Amino acid sequence: MRGAGEATRARSLRASAARGAAMAEKRPPRPQGTALIYDEAMTRVRLLWDDPECAIEVPERLTSTYARLCQRGLAQRCVRLPVREATEEELEMVHSPEYVAVVKGTQAMSKKELQTLAQQYDAVYFHPSTFPCARMAVGATLQLVDAILTGAVGNGMALVRPPGHHSQRDAANGFCVFNNVAIAAEYAKRRHGLQRILIVDWDIHHGQGTQRIFENDPSVLYFSWHRYEHQSFWPRLQESDYNAVGQGPGRGFTINVPWNKIGMRNADYVSVFLHVLLPLAIEFDPEFVLVSAGFDSGIGDPEGQMEAMPECFAHLTLLLLPLARGRLCAVLEGGYHLRSLAECVCMTLQTLLGDPVPALSGDPAPCLSAVESIQNVRAAHARHWASLGHEDAGPVLTPSTQHPLLGAQPTAATDGPGPILDELLSCPPCFPCTGIGLAAPDSASSLHLPPTVLRERGGALSKEEAAACSRLDSAFTQDQTQAALGKLLALLEKILSGQVRAGIAATPTVAAAAIMALRRGLSFGSRSRLLCVAVGDLDIPEDLRDNGQILVFHIGGEERPEGTPSPRCICLGGPQATEPGNFRLALLSLILPVAYSFQPELVLLVLGPGYSLQGLDMELLTRLLQGPARGRMLVLLQDSEISLVEALAWALEGKALPSTLGPYLSASPKQALAITRLCRQLQPDWPMLQVSVN
Ligand code: X5A
Ligand code: ZN
């Protein structure tokens, strides 16, 4: 009986797999397009009286940002969606009818009355256009949600005013009237039937409104970082600290990262994403990502006083895109330095469009205070999330920024980076060269590839190259191998000289090809840094393993006896290393932090013989490794694996993953221990590995 049942099951599985394949052929390979929503109507609200606290929330925030998007040619590349005003019913998904009525009443108020009403709230102003504008900010956000969730576009951004994340069920707060993002999350649940939504609030203020709306709700994972300075910064709430993790069934679904010092930089932000947000977000496996995209966390902002550069937001966006099949909806919140705001929005939108990210500038070491915050949040969440369950560091008891007797030290007021800021912002954005090169046998022509893929014809090898090849590869005499290696070298040449940004090369002998490519990369420039991530069985010669210019990760190869690991050749051996749970832990906690610390000019990804990464993990790896090297990557694979080229090409092209990452798969305790130990040993060499101060 049992045998027959299983046979039936197997048959129906095969049948459904075949159906899946047939469908996969018909539907467009990847979701397309990035939407932009903006309407001048939202510039109508402005402050009508004197109030220094609210004076920074000006209409020019939208007009100058939009002008810059047009100037950069980014707005033109987006799908434009029309705005609409949200209905009162939609507003009431989050707000009380009484509060909606109060805001509605402002349309007919005199300036005096508006001012009196505003005084009932903290840091708020009203204008006769507040109600229609705030409804439009919500409506614009919902239009974008609809477009993404119906598949009309892949992702998008809404430029809106007033902002939303401080707004609560019954109260306006911090320039916010209706909570655009919270309503969008509720709407996605009720109208689109979603069950898991991630809200990433990278504005520099705590979105206490959003937190309160969802603090009991396990279907919404809310992440916020914010300037805190031990509760001395607005809105000065205890509930913004790392130990506020949600309530009741929502325990664990609120993540707060307090910044206890100003001046946080690129490395601090990216570290928090790698070591706090991403592990939990991947475990949560959202169906949709909403970003409360405030840019007062960027350099120059008078509120935040932080020093993260515009390109940092490109990296933050890139790190979120592998989630939820790339279904990401960014909604403007704060951002008060007009130039910085515009640049940061450009970086975000450019990344949503799939462009490669610029290099992350500055020292890759997070500061002490940031590491303390990371340690504290991870300790607070260790009991709620399996992905942090192997965490052994407790919270920091006496933070470096806090005097044990006096409490928080006031931070001296600074003008931030001052005059150098203009210079920093005026660097022309490096528009990356486009194009993906493909060096593969002709059989690859039946694949469905992005239109930008350029087929490499290749040339004959020089005598020396041919000699080197035959030494490396005993099969080299065969024409096929020779042609493949010729194509590979020609492609690498184009990448090194900047004619194409990235490439894929399929050869009959990937091990030999990898060594040739590394040697060629080495000889290109004596100061160039090459990151090689090799998966599978591969033997990399000694001189390439401990070379100042090359950093090798060898994953899933032969297991070697434990010794002191070399900081330049990091091995995670054995077949277990490529199992999804183990691999994803290694990727976030080890590979990416080291890669960001190393700052390579080029990444060589080698899928060697015996390689056994899941398809989705291979795409995840390809997509995320584009961060540290400005999208410059060459993937080498065995020509018998030619079917992988399709997924690789779309990933290199910046397109979203074809599915969500799926239910959480935990790392084995043994592998988690091995990875944690490696991280600790390598920390002195690669500062972004740090997750605790002890
Ligand atoms: C959306 C936003 C900030 C309010 C600051 C009040 N609000 N001091 O950035
Ligand atoms: Zn803000």
Side-chain angles (χ1 to χ4, degrees), residues 18 66 87 93 191 197 207 291 302 398 442 468 529 556 578 598 629 649 683:
Y66 183 68
T87 64
M93 287 184 172
R191 298 287 151 82
I197 297 167
V291 180
T398 315
D442 296 333
R529 286 178 306 277
T578 52
F598 181 58
Q683 208 170 279

Side-chain angles (χ1 to χ4, degrees), residues 539 545 554 557-566 569-574 576 670 674 677-678 681:
D539 223 348
R545 290 174 154 267
H554 193 180
E558 199 187 309
E559 234 163 333
R560 280 165 218 279
E562 275 185 56
T564 321
S566 149
C569 183
I570 304 168
C571 299
L572 267 177
Q576 69 278 6
K670 192 166 162 242
R677 192 174 297 149
L678 256 181
Q681 283 164 326

